[in-house]
Short mmCIF file of all heavy atoms in Angstrom, two decimals:
data_model
loop_
_atom_site.label_atom_id
_atom_site.label_comp_id
_atom_site.label_asym_id
_atom_site.label_seq_id
_atom_site.Cartn_x
_atom_site.Cartn_y
_atom_site.Cartn_z
N ARG A 233 85.96 80.89 124.33
CA ARG A 233 86.60 82.03 124.99
C ARG A 233 86.09 83.35 124.43
O ARG A 233 85.72 83.42 123.26
CB ARG A 233 88.12 81.98 124.76
CG ARG A 233 88.77 80.77 125.35
CD ARG A 233 90.22 80.76 124.87
NE ARG A 233 90.82 79.44 125.09
CZ ARG A 233 91.87 79.00 124.41
NH1 ARG A 233 92.45 79.75 123.49
NH2 ARG A 233 92.36 77.81 124.67
N PHE A 234 86.18 84.36 125.26
CA PHE A 234 85.98 85.73 124.79
C PHE A 234 87.35 86.27 124.41
O PHE A 234 88.37 85.82 124.93
CB PHE A 234 85.36 86.59 125.89
CG PHE A 234 83.89 86.31 126.08
CD1 PHE A 234 83.47 85.35 126.99
CD2 PHE A 234 82.95 86.99 125.34
CE1 PHE A 234 82.12 85.08 127.16
CE2 PHE A 234 81.60 86.73 125.49
CZ PHE A 234 81.18 85.77 126.41
N GLU A 235 87.32 87.26 123.53
CA GLU A 235 88.60 87.76 123.03
C GLU A 235 88.59 89.27 122.85
O GLU A 235 87.61 89.83 122.38
CB GLU A 235 88.93 87.09 121.68
CG GLU A 235 90.23 87.55 121.08
CD GLU A 235 90.64 86.75 119.84
OE1 GLU A 235 89.77 86.11 119.23
OE2 GLU A 235 91.81 86.80 119.48
N PHE A 236 89.71 89.86 123.24
CA PHE A 236 89.99 91.23 122.82
C PHE A 236 91.20 91.16 121.91
O PHE A 236 92.23 90.58 122.28
CB PHE A 236 90.31 92.15 124.02
CG PHE A 236 90.68 93.53 123.56
CD1 PHE A 236 89.71 94.48 123.32
CD2 PHE A 236 92.02 93.87 123.31
CE1 PHE A 236 90.04 95.74 122.85
CE2 PHE A 236 92.36 95.13 122.83
CZ PHE A 236 91.37 96.06 122.61
N ARG A 237 91.08 91.74 120.74
CA ARG A 237 92.22 91.80 119.82
C ARG A 237 92.22 93.15 119.14
O ARG A 237 91.17 93.69 118.80
CB ARG A 237 92.10 90.70 118.77
CG ARG A 237 93.24 90.70 117.75
CD ARG A 237 93.09 89.60 116.73
NE ARG A 237 93.28 88.26 117.29
CZ ARG A 237 94.47 87.71 117.54
NH1 ARG A 237 95.59 88.39 117.29
NH2 ARG A 237 94.55 86.49 118.03
N PHE A 293 80.91 83.99 114.70
CA PHE A 293 80.71 84.95 115.79
C PHE A 293 79.48 84.54 116.60
O PHE A 293 78.41 84.30 116.03
CB PHE A 293 80.52 86.34 115.18
CG PHE A 293 80.19 87.41 116.18
CD1 PHE A 293 81.16 87.93 117.01
CD2 PHE A 293 78.89 87.89 116.28
CE1 PHE A 293 80.85 88.92 117.93
CE2 PHE A 293 78.58 88.87 117.20
CZ PHE A 293 79.55 89.38 118.02
N VAL A 294 79.65 84.48 117.91
CA VAL A 294 78.53 84.07 118.76
C VAL A 294 77.88 85.27 119.43
O VAL A 294 76.68 85.48 119.36
CB VAL A 294 79.02 83.08 119.85
CG1 VAL A 294 77.87 82.69 120.78
CG2 VAL A 294 79.61 81.84 119.20
N GLN A 295 78.69 86.06 120.11
CA GLN A 295 78.13 87.21 120.81
C GLN A 295 79.23 88.20 121.19
O GLN A 295 80.42 87.87 121.19
CB GLN A 295 77.42 86.74 122.10
CG GLN A 295 78.34 86.02 123.07
CD GLN A 295 77.64 85.71 124.39
OE1 GLN A 295 76.77 86.44 124.83
NE2 GLN A 295 78.04 84.63 125.04
N GLU A 296 78.77 89.41 121.50
CA GLU A 296 79.69 90.42 122.04
C GLU A 296 79.18 90.81 123.42
O GLU A 296 78.00 91.12 123.59
CB GLU A 296 79.73 91.64 121.13
CG GLU A 296 80.77 92.66 121.59
CD GLU A 296 80.79 93.92 120.73
OE1 GLU A 296 80.76 93.80 119.49
OE2 GLU A 296 80.85 95.01 121.33
N VAL A 297 80.04 90.76 124.40
CA VAL A 297 79.67 91.14 125.76
C VAL A 297 80.71 92.13 126.27
O VAL A 297 81.91 91.83 126.25
CB VAL A 297 79.61 89.90 126.71
CG1 VAL A 297 79.23 90.33 128.12
CG2 VAL A 297 78.65 88.86 126.18
N ASP A 298 80.24 93.28 126.68
CA ASP A 298 81.14 94.32 127.20
C ASP A 298 82.32 94.59 126.25
O ASP A 298 83.47 94.74 126.69
CB ASP A 298 81.68 93.93 128.58
CG ASP A 298 80.56 93.85 129.61
OD1 ASP A 298 79.50 94.49 129.39
OD2 ASP A 298 80.74 93.14 130.62
N GLY A 299 82.05 94.61 124.96
CA GLY A 299 83.09 94.94 123.99
C GLY A 299 84.02 93.78 123.65
O GLY A 299 84.95 93.94 122.87
N LEU A 300 83.77 92.62 124.24
CA LEU A 300 84.61 91.44 123.95
C LEU A 300 83.82 90.48 123.06
O LEU A 300 82.61 90.35 123.20
CB LEU A 300 85.03 90.75 125.25
CG LEU A 300 85.73 91.66 126.26
CD1 LEU A 300 86.05 90.90 127.53
CD2 LEU A 300 87.00 92.24 125.66
N GLU A 301 84.54 89.81 122.17
CA GLU A 301 83.86 88.96 121.19
C GLU A 301 84.06 87.48 121.52
O GLU A 301 85.14 87.07 121.94
CB GLU A 301 84.40 89.24 119.79
CG GLU A 301 84.04 90.64 119.30
CD GLU A 301 84.52 90.90 117.87
OE1 GLU A 301 85.23 90.05 117.31
OE2 GLU A 301 84.19 91.98 117.34
N GLN A 302 83.01 86.70 121.28
CA GLN A 302 83.11 85.26 121.45
C GLN A 302 82.88 84.60 120.10
O GLN A 302 81.88 84.87 119.42
CB GLN A 302 82.05 84.77 122.44
CG GLN A 302 82.26 83.34 122.87
CD GLN A 302 81.20 82.89 123.86
OE1 GLN A 302 80.04 83.25 123.74
NE2 GLN A 302 81.60 82.11 124.84
N TRP A 303 83.82 83.78 119.68
CA TRP A 303 83.74 83.06 118.41
C TRP A 303 83.80 81.55 118.71
O TRP A 303 84.58 81.11 119.55
CB TRP A 303 84.91 83.43 117.50
CG TRP A 303 84.87 84.84 117.03
CD1 TRP A 303 85.14 85.96 117.77
CD2 TRP A 303 84.55 85.30 115.72
NE1 TRP A 303 84.99 87.09 116.99
CE2 TRP A 303 84.64 86.71 115.73
CE3 TRP A 303 84.19 84.66 114.54
CZ2 TRP A 303 84.37 87.49 114.60
CZ3 TRP A 303 83.93 85.44 113.41
CH2 TRP A 303 84.02 86.83 113.45
N THR A 371 94.98 85.01 131.38
CA THR A 371 94.43 85.05 130.02
C THR A 371 95.53 84.70 129.03
O THR A 371 96.70 85.01 129.26
CB THR A 371 93.84 86.43 129.63
OG1 THR A 371 94.92 87.35 129.38
CG2 THR A 371 92.93 86.99 130.71
N SER A 390 94.13 89.23 123.97
CA SER A 390 93.97 88.57 125.26
C SER A 390 92.69 87.76 125.17
O SER A 390 91.65 88.29 124.76
CB SER A 390 93.87 89.63 126.37
OG SER A 390 93.38 89.05 127.56
N GLU A 391 92.75 86.49 125.53
CA GLU A 391 91.52 85.70 125.46
C GLU A 391 91.38 84.78 126.67
O GLU A 391 92.37 84.31 127.24
CB GLU A 391 91.43 84.90 124.16
CG GLU A 391 92.58 83.99 123.85
CD GLU A 391 92.42 83.35 122.48
OE1 GLU A 391 91.79 82.28 122.40
OE2 GLU A 391 92.92 83.92 121.50
N SER A 392 90.14 84.60 127.04
CA SER A 392 89.85 83.81 128.24
C SER A 392 88.35 83.51 128.28
O SER A 392 87.56 84.15 127.57
CB SER A 392 90.24 84.60 129.48
OG SER A 392 89.73 83.99 130.64
N THR A 393 87.98 82.59 129.14
CA THR A 393 86.55 82.37 129.37
C THR A 393 86.00 83.45 130.32
O THR A 393 84.79 83.62 130.42
CB THR A 393 86.32 80.98 130.01
OG1 THR A 393 87.15 80.88 131.17
CG2 THR A 393 86.66 79.87 129.04
N GLU A 394 86.90 84.16 130.99
CA GLU A 394 86.50 85.11 132.03
C GLU A 394 86.63 86.55 131.52
O GLU A 394 87.75 87.02 131.26
CB GLU A 394 87.36 84.94 133.28
CG GLU A 394 87.43 83.50 133.78
CD GLU A 394 86.06 82.91 134.08
OE1 GLU A 394 85.21 83.64 134.67
OE2 GLU A 394 85.82 81.74 133.73
N LEU A 395 85.51 87.24 131.42
CA LEU A 395 85.51 88.62 130.90
C LEU A 395 86.37 89.56 131.73
O LEU A 395 87.13 90.36 131.19
CB LEU A 395 84.07 89.16 130.88
CG LEU A 395 83.08 88.47 129.95
CD1 LEU A 395 81.66 88.88 130.28
CD2 LEU A 395 83.41 88.79 128.51
N GLU A 396 86.26 89.45 133.05
CA GLU A 396 86.98 90.39 133.94
C GLU A 396 88.49 90.25 133.77
O GLU A 396 89.22 91.23 133.83
CB GLU A 396 86.60 90.15 135.42
CG GLU A 396 85.14 90.39 135.77
CD GLU A 396 84.23 89.25 135.34
OE1 GLU A 396 84.74 88.15 135.01
OE2 GLU A 396 83.00 89.47 135.31
N ASP A 397 88.95 89.03 133.58
CA ASP A 397 90.40 88.82 133.42
C ASP A 397 90.91 89.49 132.14
O ASP A 397 92.01 90.06 132.11
CB ASP A 397 90.72 87.32 133.37
CG ASP A 397 90.51 86.64 134.73
OD1 ASP A 397 90.35 87.36 135.73
OD2 ASP A 397 90.51 85.40 134.77
N ILE A 398 90.10 89.42 131.07
CA ILE A 398 90.51 90.06 129.81
C ILE A 398 90.53 91.58 130.01
O ILE A 398 91.49 92.27 129.61
CB ILE A 398 89.56 89.71 128.64
CG1 ILE A 398 89.50 88.20 128.45
CG2 ILE A 398 90.01 90.38 127.35
CD1 ILE A 398 88.46 87.75 127.43
N GLN A 399 89.48 92.10 130.64
CA GLN A 399 89.40 93.56 130.82
C GLN A 399 90.56 94.08 131.66
O GLN A 399 91.13 95.13 131.36
CB GLN A 399 88.05 93.94 131.43
CG GLN A 399 86.97 94.01 130.36
CD GLN A 399 85.58 93.70 130.86
OE1 GLN A 399 85.41 93.24 131.99
NE2 GLN A 399 84.59 93.93 130.02
N LYS A 400 90.92 93.33 132.68
CA LYS A 400 92.08 93.74 133.51
C LYS A 400 93.36 93.71 132.67
O LYS A 400 94.20 94.60 132.75
CB LYS A 400 92.20 92.82 134.72
CG LYS A 400 93.42 93.14 135.60
CD LYS A 400 93.35 92.48 136.96
CE LYS A 400 94.62 92.63 137.78
NZ LYS A 400 95.43 93.80 137.56
N THR A 401 93.47 92.68 131.82
CA THR A 401 94.68 92.55 131.00
C THR A 401 94.78 93.70 129.99
O THR A 401 95.85 94.28 129.80
CB THR A 401 94.67 91.19 130.26
OG1 THR A 401 94.53 90.16 131.24
CG2 THR A 401 95.95 90.98 129.48
N VAL A 402 93.66 94.02 129.37
CA VAL A 402 93.65 95.13 128.40
C VAL A 402 94.12 96.41 129.09
O VAL A 402 94.92 97.18 128.54
CB VAL A 402 92.23 95.29 127.79
CG1 VAL A 402 92.10 96.59 127.02
CG2 VAL A 402 91.91 94.11 126.88
N ALA A 410 91.99 101.19 122.77
CA ALA A 410 92.10 100.66 121.40
C ALA A 410 90.83 99.90 121.02
O ALA A 410 90.21 99.24 121.86
CB ALA A 410 93.31 99.74 121.28
N GLU A 411 90.47 99.99 119.76
CA GLU A 411 89.27 99.30 119.28
C GLU A 411 89.51 97.79 119.22
O GLU A 411 90.60 97.35 118.87
CB GLU A 411 88.93 99.81 117.86
CG GLU A 411 87.64 99.26 117.29
CD GLU A 411 87.44 99.61 115.82
OE1 GLU A 411 88.29 100.32 115.24
OE2 GLU A 411 86.43 99.18 115.26
N ASN A 412 88.50 97.02 119.60
CA ASN A 412 88.56 95.57 119.44
C ASN A 412 88.36 95.25 117.95
O ASN A 412 87.28 95.46 117.40
CB ASN A 412 87.46 94.91 120.27
CG ASN A 412 87.62 93.39 120.36
OD1 ASN A 412 88.45 92.81 119.66
ND2 ASN A 412 86.84 92.76 121.22
N ILE A 413 89.42 94.78 117.30
CA ILE A 413 89.37 94.51 115.85
C ILE A 413 89.76 93.05 115.64
O ILE A 413 90.88 92.65 115.95
CB ILE A 413 90.36 95.43 115.09
CG1 ILE A 413 90.09 96.91 115.38
CG2 ILE A 413 90.29 95.15 113.59
CD1 ILE A 413 91.15 97.86 114.82
N ASN A 414 88.85 92.26 115.11
CA ASN A 414 89.19 90.85 114.86
C ASN A 414 89.92 90.71 113.51
O ASN A 414 90.02 91.67 112.75
CB ASN A 414 87.93 89.98 114.93
CG ASN A 414 86.88 90.40 113.92
OD1 ASN A 414 87.17 90.55 112.74
ND2 ASN A 414 85.65 90.63 114.39
#
Side-chain angles (χ1 to χ4, degrees):
Chain A
R233 297 172 196 158
F234 284 91
E235 179 172 20
F236 176 86
R237 179 180 291 281
F293 175 76
V294 177
Q295 60 174 329
E296 185 182 315
V297 180
D298 295 337
L300 305 178
E301 293 183 354
Q302 191 180 38
W303 293 73
T371 74
S390 165
E391 55 185 272
S392 168
T393 53
E394 309 303 319
L395 295 167
E396 297 78 15
D397 290 348
I398 302 173
Q399 278 151 350
K400 177 165 172 29
T401 304
V402 168
E411 185 189 359
N412 190 351
I413 304 171
N414 59 51

